[in-house]
Amino acid sequence: MNATLPSAEVLRATLAGLLDGLPPKQAAQAVERLIANYRGTTPTDAPVLRDRSDVAAYAAYRMPATFEAVRSALDALREAAPDWAPVTHTDVGGGTGAASWAVAGAWAGEEPRTTVLDWAEPALALGRELAELSGIPALRAAEWRRARIGAGLELAPADLVTVSYVLNELTADVRAALVDTAAAAAQAVLVVEPGTPDGYARIIEARDRLIAAGLTVAAPCPHSAACPIEPGTDWCHFSARVSRSSLHRRVKGGSLPYEDEKFSYVVATRFGTQPVTARVTRKPQIRKGQVLLDLCTRDEALRRATVTKRHGELYRAARDIAWGDEWPPPGEDG
């Protein structure tokens, strides 16, 4: 496969080529168990992915969604720090490498040196195979290393550390230790969790620890002060559209050609960034002659903005705005 940068299309094609012989019944059973673990709240002290069948099912079930969620978060980081690009990247609990695929394609002309750490050797093995089949230099050059993702984990200094869909597998004390370790090692830390109330709670915990370690929030928040959401009343999350291949639909038992991945995230840095003035935190409501936007703002508050036709160009911009975008758009006067 000739590709220079990862994309959703390249990932789907690579997965299809590697997993073509996966028995549907076996895959479905593995996916059911993985979904139960993914949605559960019970931490584990053993790898969730036990063998190649588990890993193959996981790759078909989760890699496209994880890739899109991490890519969306990285887009926000690039917007906040347009002149910065990582040279080194550590993917903690990276499994088959979905986050590493997203990082490899986020900065055009740059090929970060990636190290993927995971405690499941079958996941690392499949990740290596996918990277090799991709034909993408940055992925093929990545180091895939077995490491226990726990309180004793040591991380070498890196420009970027990603921790995607990992914290839900850990106990509270181990989560805290891992975030502290990432903060000490990195210039930028990205943490992604499921877009559920529990996932958001873990993101807030990580956000607080990153700030306490001296980092500042680059995205999605417009500020590094306390989150204005009252605990228990709501949760901050976003959505990424995921195109589903026939393999993906077969494994997940769905019929639609797409799904929407809900995720929560935070990215914090040790270097200066330009956070957005406000972030759209819900799907915009388009009504006759007006658009309703739910915003998290730089003055540390949540507010509803109503944009009407009398706002002219701003109204036209609001009709095209998406959940998770900055507001007002660059170049527009709010």
Side-chain angles (χ1 to χ4, degrees):
M1 182 175 300
N2 292 322
T4 57
L5 286 176
S7 67
E9 293 75 18
V10 173
L11 176 58
R12 288 198 301 272
T14 305
L15 281 168
L18 186 63
L19 307 178
D20 186 51
L22 186 67
K25 183 177 180 180
Q26 184 180 14
Q29 291 173 342
V31 164
E32 287 179 5
R33 187 180 65 79
L34 291 168
I35 290 175
N37 181 276
Y38 172 72
R39 292 177 177 169
T41 58
T42 303
T44 178
D45 57 2
V48 175
L49 305 176
R50 302 175 302 190
D51 53 32
R52 186 178 176 86
S53 295
D54 274 1
V55 173
Y58 170 83
Y61 163 56
R62 284 301 306 164
M63 273 193 81
T66 300
F67 172 84
E68 293 292 0
V70 174
R71 181 166 69 170
S72 179
L74 291 173
D75 285 345
L77 171 58
R78 289 192 301 109
E79 290 167 3
D83 298 325
W84 181 83
V87 175
T88 54
H89 164 229
T90 302
D91 189 3
V92 178
T96 53
S100 293
W101 279 67
V103 169
W107 286 272
E110 303 291 338
E111 294 185 354
R113 298 193 304 275
T114 288
T115 300
V116 182
L117 304 178
D118 202 274
W119 56 4
E121 180 56 41
L124 294 169
L126 191 76
R128 290 188 196 98
E129 290 183 54
L130 288 169
E132 189 63 28
L133 287 171
S134 74
I136 296 166
L139 291 172
R140 298 178 75 174
E143 179 183 356
W144 304 77
R145 181 150 47 92
R146 189 174 187 184
R148 183 176 180 80
I149 310 303
L153 179 68
E154 296 183 1
L155 296 178
D159 294 322
L160 173 65
V161 170
T162 54
V163 186
S164 58
Y165 298 93
V166 173
L167 299 185
N168 63 315
E169 299 177 12
L170 306 174
T171 60
D173 57 337
V174 175
R175 288 199 302 267
L178 175 56
V179 172
D180 290 348
T181 299
Q187 293 300 304
V189 178
L190 169 62
V191 184
V192 183
E193 284 288 295
T196 63
D198 287 341
Y200 162 72
R202 290 188 291 269
I203 288 296
I204 288 299
E205 291 174 3
R207 182 183 186 274
D208 290 345
R209 298 197 76 86
L210 292 170
I211 293 170
L215 284 73
T216 56
V217 177
C221 319
H223 57 81
S224 294
C227 177
I229 296 177
E230 184 179 343
T233 63
D234 202 354
W235 69 98
C236 181
H237 64 295
F238 301 94
S239 181
R241 179 59 54 93
V242 183
S243 297
R244 303 167 82 187
S245 65
S246 59
L247 170 70
H248 196 198
R249 294 196 297 271
R250 186 170 73 247
V251 170
K252 294 193 72 172
S255 58
L256 292 175
Y258 67 87
E259 66 180 359
D260 291 320
E261 169 71 4
K262 304 298 194 303
F263 65 99
S264 295
Y265 79 96
V266 63
V267 56
T269 68
R270 291 194 177 277
F271 50 85
T273 61
Q274 301 170 358
V276 297
T277 301
R279 178 84 61 187
V280 179
T281 59
R282 287 289 183 273
K283 183 178 180 181
Q285 299 179 45
I286 300 178
R287 300 178 179 175
K288 186 175 181 179
Q290 63 180 10
V291 181
L292 305 182
L293 301 176
D294 290 310
L295 304 172
C296 181
T297 65
R298 192 171 287 174
D299 58 3
E300 305 166 24
L302 302 173
R303 68 178 178 90
R304 167 71 62 83
T306 301
V307 187
T308 66
K309 283 186 176 181
R310 68 181 177 83
H311 290 99
E313 289 295 330
L314 203 60
Y315 170 72
R316 284 183 280 278
R319 290 183 60 85
D320 293 331
I321 210 71
W323 182 5
D325 286 349
E326 68 173 296
W327 183 260
E332 298 288 349
D333 183 6

